[in-house]
Amino acid sequence: MTETTPPDHCPTTLQQDVDLGGLNTLAIPARARYLARVTCVDELQALLQWRRQYECEQQRELPLLILGGGSNLVLSSDFPGLVISMGILGREVLGEDESSVLLRAGGGENWHQWVQYCVESGYFGLENLGLIPGTVGAAPIQNIGAYGVELESCFESLTAVEVSSGRVVTFDGSACRFGYRDSVFKQELRDQFIITSVTLRLHRNPDVRADYPALQQYLSELGAGQPSPQQLFEAVCAIRSSKLPDPAQVPNAGSFFKNPLVSSEQFEQLREEYTDIVGYPQSGGQVKLAAGWLIDRAGWKGHSEDGVGVHDKQALVLVNPGHASGSRLLQLAQRIRDDIRQRFGVELEIEPRVYAY
Ligand code: FAD
Ligand code: NAP
């Protein structure tokens, strides 16, 4: 990694030809043309202004990648543009009443540490979302969810800087158009806004949501009839640690595929052939299939080839122990998708954002 004189008066320290291998949890060894870390909104706005000027002078686009913890992206090649590493920190209590508290966190705050801080401070609602890697600013991008809770349930608003103009915009929950592992920032507004802070409304009284089967089972084995938020948080962390590979040991990006939605008719047809198929009825009549079950049933669990593979405890997680290239990993993903389509007639969609140039 080299630091050079910033081209054309870049307002912040710009690194050139940077190895991103340590900055993405799949440990994909891709390089970025430029990388800059921003720690406040002014710095971010000035950097975006510099990029616009650069594009104007050079008469070509300088692609942009906003990087949080790098835990939900796949770099399928080197990145020929500017990576902005989100380093805006800060935690603030904006207001409190008898039942709730309004809190704001900077986009660069570590998500898990933020959850831990909230639980320890007696601000409840995020316990089920403990131990999710990454940053606060990335959490709304796919409306992170786990153990029956999604970010949406306590989301109040976010502030973001518009890439094209540098203006600061506030989004409330409806403007974010949250869905299952989805938001407007993965759809129409993809790459158009950089999230600089997130505001949440949390409960001051325990609001324990422990009905997710794996949680229920764990807590009943512990003998915790009425778990406290702290116990719930610890249970979530313990279950995750026992089942999911730690990216620091085995590079991965969590679930590689979304759980697919099928019609109830298709689900019944599948169940005639596969009596133990796992599906969860959704509002609107569709059924959410457990993609991990499909991949496991197709025989991929524990599979490994050329440094990439499928985790042996959770088939939904692709792993990259050999620090192979993103394109190598995507080849494996494509073979799994083709196989699942052929066997079950079900289309799997990749969950992390794939960057291809
Ligand atoms: P990155 O990977 O850095 O970025 C992801 C995408 O968001 C990129 O397109 C990036 O450009 C964009 N982005 C990031 N920050 C910003 C910003 N401030 N403004 C605008 N765009 C931005 N996800 C879940 O939902 N539930 C889980 O339970 C879960 N478990 C996981 C477990 C493991 C072991 C791993 C490795 C991943 C897991 N994930 C889970 C996926 C991932 O951790 C989350 O999606 C997380 O929110 C990504 O945060 P990040 O900062 O690493 O984002
Ligand atoms: P699990 O408990 O083995 O369950 C497998 C799948 O079945 C999950 O994907 C889950 O869907 C679904 N499911 C289970 N019980 C359900 C219920 N009562 N109602 C609706 N759907 C149900 O899952 P796991 O792999 O150990 O993960 C536990 C939680 O952490 C899940 O919520 C999962 O999404 C989350 N997680 C997410 C990632 C990621 O990268 N996105 C990575 C690891 C874990 P949902 O996924 O919709 O909950």
Side-chain angles (χ1 to χ4, degrees):
M1 198 151 54
T2 53
E3 272 192 33
T4 62
T5 312
D8 298 321
H9 315 296
C10 178
T12 190
T13 307
L14 201 67
Q15 298 171 335
Q16 296 194 42
D17 188 26
V18 181
D19 177 11
L20 298 174
L23 300 178
N24 72 97
T25 62
L26 276 164
I28 290 170
R31 302 192 82 79
R33 182 159 176 212
Y34 299 122
L35 181 141
R37 183 160 175 84
V38 293
T39 54
C40 67
V41 171
D42 288 351
E43 211 178 353
L44 174 59
Q45 287 169 319
L47 185 61
L48 291 173
Q49 172 63 29
W50 169 81
R51 173 177 172 260
R52 285 192 291 278
Q53 205 177 322
Y54 179 101
E55 290 187 325
C56 210
E57 283 166 12
Q58 303 281 321
Q59 304 236 319
R60 64 185 159 128
E61 200 202 346
L62 185 63
L64 190 60
L65 191 165
I66 312 307
L67 185 67
S71 64
N72 210 26
L73 48 85
V74 183
L75 300 159
S76 83
S77 59
D78 288 340
F79 187 73
L82 170 65
V83 174
I84 299 183
S85 164
M86 171 51 62
I88 299 177
L89 302 179
R91 299 169 180 179
E92 216 180 331
V93 175
L94 300 177
E96 272 184 76
D97 59 29
E98 268 179 23
S99 60
S100 71
V101 55
L102 202 59
L103 296 136
R104 181 164 58 205
E109 288 282 339
N110 174 280
W111 175 261
H112 173 68
Q113 287 167 9
W114 168 240
V115 174
Q116 195 165 20
Y117 158 80
C118 291
V119 177
E120 284 168 3
S121 306
Y123 307 140
F124 305 125
L126 298 178
E127 299 75 46
N128 301 46
L129 303 179
L131 223 57
I132 297 180
T135 51
V136 165
I141 302 286
Q142 72 159 9
N143 183 25
I144 55 170
Y147 297 96
V149 172
E150 292 176 319
L151 176 77
E152 185 182 6
S153 65
C154 52
F155 180 87
E156 186 80 11
S157 65
L158 62 79
T159 54
V161 172
E162 189 177 37
V163 170
S164 62
S165 66
R167 78 191 164 113
V168 177
V169 180
T170 301
F171 289 77
D172 64 13
S174 68
C176 292
R177 304 242 297 277
F178 290 125
Y180 175 63
R181 305 287 186 271
D182 200 20
S183 77
V184 73
F185 304 106
K186 267 188 149 183
Q187 305 294 337
E188 300 93 294
L189 298 186
R190 191 166 105 153
D191 293 335
Q192 291 183 39
F193 286 90
I194 301 174
I195 297 170
T196 51
S197 75
V198 175
T199 300
L200 303 176
R201 185 175 291 282
L202 299 180
H203 305 279
R204 297 194 60 195
N205 299 310
D207 177 37
V208 169
R209 279 164 288 177
D211 48 356
Y212 192 90
L215 260 183
Q216 258 181 355
Q217 191 187 335
Y218 183 90
L219 290 164
S220 73
E221 281 166 14
L222 268 189
Q226 281 282 315
S228 66
Q230 184 72 35
Q231 281 176 314
L232 183 66
F233 172 66
E234 283 164 10
V236 166
C237 294
I239 299 171
R240 292 183 74 103
S241 303
S242 71
K243 194 168 174 185
L244 287 167
D246 175 357
Q249 314 292 329
V250 184
N252 74 90
S255 305
F256 206 84
F257 303 102
K258 284 187 183 183
N259 288 322
L261 291 171
V262 298
S263 66
S264 51
E265 293 77 25
Q266 187 178 0
F267 180 66
E268 287 312 325
Q269 279 165 14
L270 284 166
R271 197 153 61 168
E272 275 174 26
E273 191 171 352
Y274 307 99
T275 49
D276 55 341
I277 190 167
V278 179
Y280 300 92
Q282 305 293 293
S283 56
Q286 287 187 300
V287 177
K288 182 182 77 180
L289 295 179
W293 184 93
L294 299 174
I295 298 167
D296 187 1
R297 180 61 187 246
W300 290 96
K301 198 172 182 175
H303 173 85
S304 112
E305 57 181 46
D306 301 338
V308 295
V310 180
H311 187 51
D312 57 2
K313 288 191 189 146
Q314 170 50 287
L316 201 47
V317 177
L318 299 195
V319 292
N320 189 18
H323 296 205
S325 68
S327 57
R328 183 69 198 80
L329 189 74
L330 289 167
Q331 277 169 25
L332 172 63
Q334 191 54 48
R335 283 176 51 217
I336 294 172
R337 295 179 75 194
D338 292 344
D339 191 28
I340 298 305
R341 190 184 311 111
Q342 272 166 21
R343 281 175 196 263
F344 305 105
V346 173
E347 197 61 49
L348 290 184
E349 188 188 336
I350 291 179
E351 184 180 288
R353 171 77 185 273
V354 176
Y355 289 89
Y357 282 87

